[in-house]
Amino acid sequence: MNLTETKAWSAVLADAESNRDFSLRAAFAADPNRAADMTLEAAGWTLDYSKNLVDAKTMRDLRAVADECGLKDKIEAMFNGEHINETEDRAVLHVALRALSGGAVVDRGTGEDVMPGVRKVLDAMANFADEVRSGSWKGHSGKPVRNVVNIGIGGSDLGPCMATLALAPFSQRNLRFAFVSNVDATHFAETVRDMDPEETLFLVASKTFTTLETMDNAKTAREWILKHYDGDSAAVAKHFVAISTAADEVAKFGIDTANMFGFWNWVGGRYSLPSAIGLSLMIAIGPDRFREMLGGYEAMDRHFRTAPLEKNLPVTMALLGIYYNNVLGAQSHAVLPYDQYLARFPAYLQQLDMESNGKSVDKRGRRVSWQTGPIVWGEPGTNGQHAFYQLLHQGTKLVPADFIGFMRSHNPIGDHHVHLMANFFAQTEALAFGKTADEVRAEGTPEALVPHKTFTGNRPTNTLVALELTPATFGALVALYEHKVFVQGALWDVFSFDQWGVQLGKVLAKRIIPELTADSPLAHDSSTNALIGRFRAANR
Ligand code: G6Q
């Protein structure tokens, strides 16, 4: 059942109708407990959702929609290892990667408890990470590693890249971490430009080990190493490890499968940061901190699975998003972290959310008549304030936004953190309450300027705060968004764990590759033919 088929959905629509003139100013004035009543806690995080365009009744009705859609059962189906990724016939068990304090987690398709494998890989990663960190893992010429370069793309890049930056305060600073993803050779060339091959370790991260971009970059990296060592192929084993589910492909590439860290087809790429795909992060912060991160993930998983819907952070954020997306017509959702360490978090979320819920057929393959996933975007504060916040404050679009901040800074220098957080608090206040024309006039503003200086307010935000950005709060934050995406996909009745939409472009690119270097006649449309012709002419 999708959200529009529930009885409660008509109540939600009726709420929106009767709340047409909803005003955050009026709602806060009428109810001194609004903020307290609309604040939730879980896994080190506080969510204040009081600055949203909803009242208690709308929230109740939204929760009723979730109930009618069988959300609780759907959550259980995921945690219980059922094959909820039906189009690929797979379990969706990224939650098992961090279920370290519990017992067995069984893949219902194979009947296998996945936890022994999870623990085994985690231990192998820890041993390897310790060797690299201590300098006992040596390159082919006997030098310890100084540069760790992850080669991967999409889910095999965005998570570790984002997380290695996010947890930099906990990382071993004599090691340098870099991420090469783009098939554009510039990415590789510029990344290794100042690196000494003898001190460089490549982690080739690819679930399938067949991805074009990753294989191109990995081959180029291998050539770069071999060139340095005059073709001595024994160097490969010392400068390359693989992270993959495909041992045969890894062996074909020439990496010793003893240096391979496995994961499983029940881990989706964009959910794979807590698997071996997080090896670069583990090398950066060490196995203990990595386990603290998994603990944070697990705390949010437990909360998601057990907390009643009205106290449930991922569920609440998902329902609010649905209200804006499906009722009030918002097309996008902004994520605005007020922490430089989370600079790549919006990019990471773009994949998590848009690849999961950017679908337009329901689980039975019928075209949906309701909106699905929003466009997710954002930048770290305060940079965004000096760029696109104008539109957030005075534009014609409804853009619900999540503001994410920390009470304490890892770099308590001068007044920076006070200034940062003053902006953080000021923005959601300004967005919610605006400034009326009368208030502008009362400042003596000339009448002609009054409309330009008026702020309508009523622009909805969530505020998410934690004491500090730590491995645990970081893990909990990622899990919070994973589960938010899950809830939305469940109510939209789409398959959130496949990504068929990325295939067509890949297939067409494979067809065009030989055409770019040949002179054969072209049989595309006239636009594509002409563009390819231009490329051929420039590269003759
Ligand atoms: C993520 C997607 C996708 C995937 C990349 C890389 O959920 O499946 O982004 O992670 O295409 O795939 P490989 O890890 O197989 O190289």
Side-chain angles (χ1 to χ4, degrees):
M1 185 184 276
N2 72 70
L3 74 179
T4 65
E5 290 168 330
T6 62
K7 288 203 199 79
W9 188 244
S10 45
V12 171
L13 297 178
D15 292 340
E17 196 53 42
S18 55
N19 276 339
R20 255 170 194 270
D21 298 325
F22 183 90
S23 146
L24 281 169
R25 278 194 184 221
F28 273 87
D31 180 5
N33 293 326
R34 183 173 167 93
D37 289 347
M38 293 188 163
T39 295
L40 302 174
E41 312 262 348
W45 284 94
T46 300
L47 166 68
D48 176 344
Y49 67 95
S50 61
K51 295 190 183 86
N52 279 287
L53 308 179
V54 290
D55 56 19
K57 178 167 184 320
T58 305
M59 290 309 295
R60 267 200 307 278
D61 290 335
L62 285 164
R63 288 193 289 267
V65 171
D67 268 332
E68 276 188 70
C69 286
L71 178 62
K72 278 280 174 193
D73 289 346
K74 289 184 172 160
I75 295 172
E76 280 309 298
M78 173 174 70
F79 278 91
N80 282 330
E82 285 170 31
H83 279 208
I84 61 170
N85 177 356
E86 288 180 30
T87 64
E88 296 176 310
D89 189 18
R90 288 176 184 170
V92 173
L93 277 177
H94 48 273
V95 289
L97 299 167
R98 54 262 192 162
L100 298 178
S101 65
V105 178
V106 175
D107 178 330
R108 299 289 153 189
T110 61
E112 190 195 351
D113 175 10
V114 302
M115 291 312 294
V118 167
R119 290 178 201 279
K120 198 169 152 210
V121 172
L122 208 50
D123 288 344
M125 288 165 66
N127 288 338
F128 181 73
D130 281 338
E131 280 190 58
V132 176
R133 286 163 65 81
S134 67
S136 62
W137 179 277
K138 303 269 196 300
H140 189 51
S141 64
K143 287 192 188 172
V145 171
R146 288 183 56 84
N147 312 305
V148 177
V149 181
N150 186 86
I151 295 179
I153 194 165
S156 300
D157 166 70
L158 285 159
C161 178
M162 177 278 289
T164 304
L165 173 61
L167 296 178
F170 302 91
S171 72
Q172 187 169 308
R173 298 289 191 160
N174 68 335
L175 295 173
R176 244 202 315 174
F177 293 86
F179 294 82
V180 174
S181 51
N182 200 333
V183 74
D184 183 342
T186 300
H187 203 177
F188 181 82
E190 289 293 337
T191 302
V192 301
R193 203 182 159 80
D194 300 321
M195 289 181 183
D196 176 355
E198 295 182 25
E199 298 179 331
T200 302
L201 173 70
F202 291 99
L203 314 179
V204 184
S206 177
K207 187 170 164 180
T208 55
F209 231 74
T210 54
T211 305
L212 174 84
E213 292 88 339
T214 301
M215 290 303 108
D216 277 0
N217 280 320
K219 280 178 202 150
T220 300
R222 189 175 54 191
E223 278 157 27
W224 185 70
I225 288 287
L226 288 178
K227 185 168 169 225
H228 182 81
Y229 287 114
D230 296 326
D232 183 353
S233 59
V236 173
K238 291 291 164 196
H239 292 273
F240 285 85
V241 301
I243 303 160
S244 187
T245 57
D248 45 343
E249 297 289 341
V250 169
K252 253 193 253 166
F253 181 85
I255 296 178
D256 186 348
T257 47
N259 297 335
M260 171 180 151
F261 301 88
F263 60 118
W264 307 270
N265 72 8
W266 42 260
V267 185
R270 53 196 174 277
Y271 297 85
S272 63
L273 170 61
S275 73
I277 290 291
L279 183 61
S280 49
L281 175 66
M282 190 194 267
I283 296 171
I285 65 174
D288 291 344
R289 293 291 195 187
F290 193 86
R291 282 177 190 274
E292 281 174 36
M293 177 189 78
L294 296 180
Y297 268 101
E298 191 180 12
M300 187 58 80
D301 293 344
R302 206 176 307 117
H303 165 80
F304 176 54
R305 191 177 183 180
T306 59
L309 299 190
E310 69 274 14
K311 293 209 179 327
N312 201 305
L313 264 75
V315 170
T316 301
M317 286 174 62
L319 294 178
L320 287 163
I322 281 178
Y323 188 65
Y324 297 121
N325 187 67
N326 295 83
V327 182
L328 300 189
Q331 290 281 321
S332 80
H333 186 95
V335 180
L336 308 165
Y338 276 63
D339 191 301
Q340 192 61 28
Y341 288 123
L342 289 180
R344 293 292 291 162
F345 192 57
Y348 169 79
L349 282 187
Q350 284 181 327
Q351 183 191 25
L352 178 69
D353 201 319
M354 293 164 76
E355 199 165 58
S356 296
N357 287 338
K359 311 283 164 69
S360 55
V361 293
D362 71 7
K363 287 183 178 167
R364 280 191 271 169
R366 300 171 307 188
R367 199 146 196 96
V368 295
S369 57
W370 53 95
Q371 286 289 313
T372 63
I375 299 156
V376 176
W377 60 285
E379 278 290 320
T382 55
N383 297 10
Q385 289 175 211
H386 295 262
F388 54 79
Y389 277 36
Q390 165 65 38
L391 183 148
L392 299 189
H393 284 284
Q394 290 188 315
T396 53
K397 309 256 180 317
L398 171 64
V399 185
D402 296 344
F403 280 69
I404 303 171
F406 298 91
M407 296 299 141
R408 294 190 194 142
S409 168
H410 284 289
N411 297 294
I413 302 167
D415 293 329
H416 284 268
H417 196 56
V418 166
H419 292 178
L420 174 72
M421 293 307 282
N423 276 282
F424 178 79
F425 298 125
Q427 287 298 328
T428 57
E429 188 178 25
L431 287 164
F433 305 113
K435 195 170 183 182
T436 64
D438 284 344
E439 287 168 344
V440 177
R441 269 186 208 106
E443 290 173 346
T445 307
E447 197 53 35
L449 286 182
V450 169
H452 301 285
K453 294 191 159 193
T454 299
F455 292 73
T456 57
N458 250 11
R459 292 165 187 263
T461 58
N462 285 317
T463 302
L464 267 171
V465 289
L467 184 59
E468 265 181 345
L469 179 55
T470 63
T473 54
F474 170 76
L477 180 68
V478 179
L480 166 62
Y481 278 93
E482 286 179 350
H483 298 322
K484 174 198 163 183
V485 167
F486 177 92
V487 173
Q488 294 191 328
L491 271 59
W492 290 326
D493 198 31
V494 297
F495 285 123
S496 298
F497 297 100
D498 61 21
Q499 57 285 316
W500 298 106
V502 301
Q503 293 305 328
L504 178 60
K506 283 192 206 171
V507 172
L508 294 189
K510 279 212 173 122
R511 189 173 131 201
I512 291 176
I513 288 171
E515 294 177 348
L516 293 185
T517 47
D519 265 333
S520 50
L522 294 167
H524 301 270
D525 58 277
S526 59
S527 162
T528 310
N529 283 347
L531 292 166
I532 293 174
R534 194 179 279 261
F535 181 90
R536 283 176 168 178
N539 288 283
R540 264 201 192 104

